[in-house]
Amino acid sequence: MILGIGTDLANIERIQGTLDRFGDRFKNRVFTAVEQAKAESRNDVAGTYAKRWAAKEACSKALGTGLAMGISWKDMAVTNMRTGQPVMAVTGWAAERLAQITPEGHTAVIHCTLTDDHPWAQAFVVIEARAVGAVPT
């Protein structure tokens, strides 16, 4: 069953302006060390940060909270599988919220996809509850 869906659209040029203006202060407030390392290793640094920004916004929406209810930016983090597929992980208050909305006898699975077409970066997050022992289809 679907527990939540979130989407966000971020302007890459706006993120670049924020990076130019606030630099490490912005990066350290919003992104984990792993996210920063990924972004800094890419040709399109601002685009990589923008996609992850959008993913965090989308995840907070899928959790049904937005960012106003105590979730920290770093409570939601995007990494990548070896295949390149993005993966959203939650910790802290976001993990607590996920546990609250997950029905008994189910496990939550967070699906995340990212895309960009300059100057836009977009993310979709779907939170699924799978019955314990269910085989994914």
Side-chain angles (χ1 to χ4, degrees):
M1 87 182 67
I2 302 299
L3 299 178
I5 299 171
T7 185
D8 193 67
L9 186 65
N11 185 288
I12 296 169
E13 293 170 1
R14 179 174 162 250
I15 296 296
Q16 180 64 64
T18 303
L19 289 166
D20 293 344
R21 185 169 177 198
F22 297 105
D24 287 343
R25 186 171 144 213
F26 169 67
K27 292 182 219 175
N28 293 332
R29 184 174 147 254
V30 176
F31 302 100
T32 66
V34 171
E35 289 174 311
Q36 290 181 49
K38 179 72 168 184
E40 298 297 328
S41 74
R42 305 295 293 267
N43 287 333
D44 184 10
V45 173
T48 303
Y49 278 122
K51 285 184 280 190
R52 279 151 178 74
W53 171 279
K56 291 168 186 272
E57 288 274 7
C59 185
S60 71
K61 293 170 186 174
L63 288 167
T65 64
L67 286 160
M69 292 182 64
I71 292 178
S72 164
W73 287 103
K74 288 183 177 181
D75 284 350
M76 302 164 289
V78 177
T79 58
N80 295 86
M81 295 178 147
R82 287 186 178 164
T83 59
Q85 178 182 347
V87 177
M88 174 67 70
V90 294
T91 58
W93 202 92
E96 291 174 25
R97 174 66 181 162
L98 182 61
Q100 289 172 355
I101 65 172
T102 304
E104 267 191 57
H106 290 75
T107 301
V109 179
I110 302 174
H111 304 277
C112 177
T113 187
L114 311 173
T115 191
D116 66 291
D117 187 7
H118 196 87
W120 300 107
Q122 186 173 32
F124 287 95
V125 171
V126 175
I127 303 175
E128 172 191 8
R130 286 190 190 151
V132 174
V135 179
T137 55

